[in-house]
Amino acid sequence: MKNNPTKNTALWLSLLVIATSLVACQNNSALGVVSNYHWNKHGLVTNNNKLNYHSRSINKITIHHTATQNKIGESDLERLRSARRYHMQDRGWGDIAYHYLIASDGTIYQGRSADFVGGSSTDYGTDNNLLIAMIGNFEVENPSYQALESLKNLVANRALHYRINPANISTHRHHASTLCPGVRLQHWFDRVGENEILHKLQEKTSLF
């Protein structure tokens, strides 16, 4: 079961006080996010008819992995494009499942528009939920330092932007019977990752 430290409540209260001033400062360009137009401009066209808007403002963040095996000579960008084709052609979804994806070199890619509910092959609530995926299969490989740093920064940034209670930052495995986000990424989150994300939030709020 997900650990829910009591310090989350105090941190959440502090975030509420300063959230109004932070919202204007938290955007994709500040993180160097590669827009889906740039990485997918020659790919499949998003089918908005197969997508649903969130019923209310995003209030949760869930961490995933793409579970894509690393083939010899294949780049993270190729793995990203492969995941999108699979989600749209094989799963029949309107776009890639995740709102953001993070490569092994730390590059953050924009996925499905955050206006729309993300996709999942498991039965858990993706409505009002921001889905962030690490590119790779962390059942068999370790997440890189660069990717983990980007994950912490992105999660903290989006939590501030949407005013998300830190208690609502979790992994896919906390919500469904699944291997996602992979045993090695899950171990990082449970052992140190959750607290390191909280520290990132505290660092960002101390700047205002």
Side-chain angles (χ1 to χ4, degrees):
M1 181 172 292
K2 180 173 181 289
N3 183 28
N4 183 10
T6 56
K7 64 180 179 181
N8 285 359
T9 301
L11 177 57
W12 171 231
L13 291 174
S14 70
L15 293 181
L16 279 176
V17 173
I18 63 171
T20 301
S21 62
L22 283 168
V23 167
C25 301
Q26 310 303 317
N27 52 52
N28 287 342
S29 60
L31 292 167
V33 176
V34 179
S35 72
N36 48 21
Y37 170 78
H38 284 94
W39 69 262
N40 186 53
K41 57 184 175 183
H42 300 302
L44 298 170
V45 177
T46 299
N47 186 346
N48 288 346
N49 292 327
K50 292 184 176 182
L51 301 176
N52 297 309
Y53 287 101
H54 293 286
S55 62
R56 56 186 183 276
S57 179
I58 288 172
N59 56 30
K60 297 180 287 290
I61 293 175
T62 303
I63 298 166
H64 294 248
H65 72 163
T66 60
T68 47
Q69 295 282 5
N70 187 18
K71 299 176 183 177
I72 296 174
E74 185 178 48
S75 69
D76 280 343
L77 186 54
E78 289 170 319
R79 295 168 90 179
L80 172 58
R81 289 170 174 156
S82 175
R84 189 171 189 270
R85 285 193 299 271
Y86 171 72
H87 288 173
M88 295 185 70
Q89 294 178 337
D90 293 48
R91 304 293 302 181
W93 296 338
D95 203 344
I96 195 167
Y98 315 110
H99 300 109
Y100 291 95
L101 299 100
I102 300 172
S104 59
D105 66 357
T107 301
I108 302 171
Y109 294 94
Q110 180 187 22
R112 180 181 301 205
S113 168
D115 293 335
F116 297 111
V117 176
S120 176
S121 57
T122 61
D123 185 18
Y124 88 101
T126 55
D127 189 16
N128 318 311
N129 199 333
L130 191 75
L131 308 189
I132 297 175
M134 300 273 276
I135 298 172
N137 184 347
F138 302 108
E139 283 291 301
V140 297
E141 59 186 299
N142 291 315
S144 69
Y145 171 82
Q146 294 91 333
L148 291 175
E149 285 299 301
S150 289
L151 177 64
K152 290 185 289 186
N153 281 319
L154 177 61
V155 171
N157 179 287
R158 296 295 83 189
L160 291 173
H161 178 81
Y162 291 109
R163 309 182 190 187
I164 293 172
N165 187 327
N168 290 333
I169 298 170
S170 58
T171 71
H172 189 184
R173 194 177 294 190
H174 291 136
H175 303 286
S177 178
T178 177
L179 295 177
C180 182
V183 64
R184 301 184 186 192
L185 182 54
Q186 184 67 50
H187 178 69
W188 169 83
F189 184 87
D190 291 338
R191 186 171 57 87
V192 297
E194 185 174 21
N195 283 333
E196 289 184 1
I197 289 169
L198 286 169
H199 291 155
K200 283 288 182 185
L201 281 163
Q202 290 170 326
E203 288 173 7
K204 290 179 181 295
T205 57
S206 69
L207 298 175
F208 292 83

